[in-house]
Amino acid sequence: MTSAHRAPPAASASAKRWVGVVGGIYGIGGGSLLSPILAGRGVPLAELAPAALTSTLITSIAGVATYAGIAVATGGTDIAPDWIVGLGCGIGGLAGGYLGAHLQPRLPETALRFTLGGVAIATAALYTTQAL
């Protein structure tokens, strides 16, 4: 991030901890929480995307390792990661990341922000509806 967008170190460390805790509890990549927070603070999306993807990758690796370890330790195949689905999602994520990296410089920042906001609102509405 540029110096104009940097949070105080204590606030940044606190936000990172909470994103990690909430992401770990709910089993989602930290980027799902980190992206809207950073975008709302005005961080350019070209800087935001690598941070969000890195956060998601680290959370995903930790989750897969944990569940694979539990499956080995307990002999339970019902808790083991579904490797085919995981690899399919990973390959799709790599393709999307590659495509996004090439398209992002050609798209206006405002359109990307509205799209990110729309997807976040739609996801929240879907989750809220499913919870009721």
Side-chain angles (χ1 to χ4, degrees):
M1 283 194 284
T2 61
S3 61
H5 297 105
R6 289 211 172 117
S12 180
S14 177
K16 291 174 189 174
R17 280 190 206 98
W18 280 110
V19 165
V21 168
V22 172
I25 289 170
Y26 289 104
I28 58 175
S32 302
L33 300 170
L34 194 59
S35 295
I37 292 169
L38 293 177
R41 296 197 60 209
V43 175
L45 295 182
E47 294 178 18
L48 186 147
L53 290 173
T54 302
S55 174
T56 300
L57 175 66
I58 291 168
T59 304
S60 298
I61 289 171
V64 167
T66 299
Y67 281 102
I70 291 170
V72 169
T74 63
T77 57
D78 55 333
I79 197 168
D82 187 335
W83 295 105
I84 302 221
V85 170
L87 289 173
C89 289
I91 290 168
L94 285 173
Y98 181 80
L99 181 63
H102 283 75
L103 288 176
Q104 188 273 331
R106 295 174 177 82
L107 299 173
E109 177 84 11
T110 304
L112 291 172
R113 286 186 178 278
F114 276 109
T115 301
L116 178 62
V119 169
I121 290 168
T123 303
L126 176 66
Y127 287 170
T128 301
T129 303
Q130 288 176 343
L132 298 177

